[in-house]
Amino acid sequence: MSQIDDYVHPYAEVALSNITREYPYAAHHLVHGLADIVPAVEKHPAFANSFDWHSSVHMHYLLASLLETDEAQTASWRDRALEVLTAHLSEENMLAEAAFLRDNPSWERPYGWAWAVELNRVLNASDVPELRELGSNTQVLAETVFDLVIAWLPKVAEPVRHGVHSNTAFGLRRILIGARVAGRHDAVDVIAGAARRLFAEDVTWNFAQERSGHDFLSPGLCEADLMAEVLTEDELATWLPGFLSELSPESPALTPVKVLDPTDGQQSHLYGLGLSVAASVMRLAPKLELITENAGDNELADHAKGMLTRVDSLMAPGLEAAVSDEYMSSHWVATFAWEALRLN
């Protein structure tokens, strides 16, 4: 696999192209009347680009992340990236985006919410002064998400386990991490409590049959990722081996799926599936290996080691699709590719 540095420039170009491209755009809005049928930019002055709101948010996150790299310091695209981010993430625009979330409290829940928190987190943690300044603007967006999560989770009877945007565990893990960094202990406590209530009793996840034809997430691995953030070390030592006991290097869940029609926006999700699974494996396999070695479970420890050998093959199709000419994949896949590359 190429060095991670090789991806900075092409991914920056993709991100810049996406967040300055207005159409095609999928609004996904509930329309109450003719007054709601307006150009997307009137509702979303920052994120009416990159095909849809959540992809726009995480493409802004990607560009901010790329600006942190050494390669970005002298890059030809650096000034343009900072200019666009500054224009899009203005205080006025963030207030408008946060107001829309408050007025539509189930919209973009929880996937778009999670990326809004991630965007704010990376800006606030940035070594780039211009980006840190923007973090003060996006704070209102993150705080709105934390408030919405606190209001929502006590009313959740069952988690959503699909491998797409509505997946509960994927969004909650990212919001939880952001809430910890932001010192929103109220949101941390609500998320941790909900995770325990919804997932703590799960055992022996069926990785052989979890995958469907438009997934970009593994429901099982997303759940394990979340619980690894929530459970104590001792609790995880019991829960994780039991939950992952059916996962082996040969499992279908660790085998990349060939995309037969890249123009199909649902099928192209499978590019992201390989990348998100690879990232989960890189986070979870070392934990599982350590736990099972300490417990003397050599078979599961060997499985954990073997899972890591699947990472490169899982990532390969997505790395290519991230910079392809097919917009159904290139409007979003690079974010997942970059996150996996940083773990690899």
Side-chain angles (χ1 to χ4, degrees):
M1 183 176 292
S2 302
Q3 294 294 316
I4 187 172
D5 297 351
D6 297 340
Y7 293 90
V8 174
H9 179 72
Y11 285 5
E13 287 190 328
V14 165
L16 265 173
S17 174
N18 283 334
I19 67 173
T20 55
R21 177 171 175 171
E22 295 183 11
Y23 296 104
Y25 189 80
H28 307 304
H29 292 148
L30 175 64
V31 175
H32 296 280
L34 288 177
D36 290 332
I37 304 176
V38 297
V41 72
E42 293 190 21
K43 294 175 181 287
H44 305 296
F47 304 127
N49 46 68
S50 199
F51 189 74
D52 50 28
W53 195 88
H54 51 257
S55 299
S56 175
V57 174
H58 71 65
M59 276 289 162
H60 283 76
Y61 157 87
L62 172 62
L63 191 57
S65 299
L66 294 170
L67 282 166
E68 294 289 335
T69 64
D70 291 339
E71 293 69 29
Q73 305 315 305
T74 57
S76 59
W77 48 268
R78 176 182 173 82
D79 290 345
R80 174 62 174 156
L82 288 171
E83 176 187 353
V84 172
L85 289 174
T86 299
H88 287 192
L89 305 180
S90 68
E91 180 180 12
E92 180 182 6
N93 287 354
M94 291 302 94
L95 288 170
E97 296 285 5
F100 189 89
L101 288 183
R102 288 194 301 273
D103 292 343
N104 299 271
S106 65
W107 184 73
E108 287 286 357
R109 184 184 73 193
Y111 184 79
W113 290 3
W115 285 114
V117 169
E118 287 275 44
L119 173 61
N120 179 246
R121 182 183 61 79
V122 76
L123 291 173
N124 284 336
S126 178
D127 291 328
V128 180
E130 296 94 330
L131 296 183
R132 284 200 308 277
E133 290 180 15
L134 295 179
S136 63
N137 296 342
T138 59
Q139 192 66 39
V140 66
L141 200 59
E143 297 293 345
T144 298
V145 169
F146 298 143
D147 292 342
L148 289 170
V149 165
I150 290 169
W152 167 57
L153 281 178
K155 304 171 187 176
V156 174
E158 292 288 343
V160 175
R161 302 180 188 271
H162 305 313
V164 291
H165 310 84
S166 53
N167 183 280
T168 303
F170 178 87
L172 288 189
R173 175 181 172 272
R174 290 170 181 266
I175 298 169
L176 173 67
I177 292 170
R180 281 176 177 158
V181 173
R184 282 295 301 262
H185 304 297
D186 51 349
V188 170
D189 290 344
V190 169
I191 294 170
R196 287 177 176 275
R197 173 171 61 87
L198 298 172
F199 300 119
E201 301 303 317
D202 289 356
V203 294
T204 320
W205 185 263
N206 183 356
F207 286 96
Q209 296 179 342
E210 74 161 10
R211 190 162 60 190
S212 70
H214 66 177
D215 286 352
F216 62 92
L217 303 170
S218 159
L221 291 175
C222 285
E223 179 176 336
D225 261 334
L226 172 62
M227 297 308 281
E229 292 288 339
V230 168
L231 299 178
T232 67
E233 186 175 323
D234 288 343
E235 289 172 331
L236 190 66
T238 298
W239 187 89
L240 192 64
F243 186 77
L244 298 182
S245 60
E246 296 298 313
L247 184 63
S248 73
E250 294 75 33
S251 294
L254 300 187
T255 302
V257 186
K258 184 175 178 59
V259 175
L260 302 179
D261 183 4
T263 68
D264 184 328
Q266 295 298 320
Q267 189 179 151
S268 68
H269 280 173
L270 296 169
Y271 290 127
L273 178 64
L275 295 164
S276 67
V277 166
S280 289
V281 166
M282 286 185 277
R283 285 188 292 264
L284 293 168
K287 292 182 173 68
L288 181 62
E289 181 181 351
L290 179 61
I291 289 169
T292 51
E293 283 182 345
N294 289 339
D297 188 340
N298 294 330
E299 181 179 2
L300 199 49
D302 287 342
H303 280 179
K305 295 175 185 176
M307 291 174 199
L308 291 170
T309 68
R310 307 297 297 152
V311 164
D312 286 354
S313 63
L314 283 164
M315 290 175 60
L319 293 179
E320 182 178 351
V323 292
S324 73
D325 293 332
E326 180 44 62
Y327 193 53
M328 286 298 98
S329 53
S330 65
H331 80 269
W332 67 279
V333 172
T335 305
F336 283 75
W338 180 247
E339 292 204 324
L341 283 166
R342 293 175 72 181
L343 290 167
N344 196 18

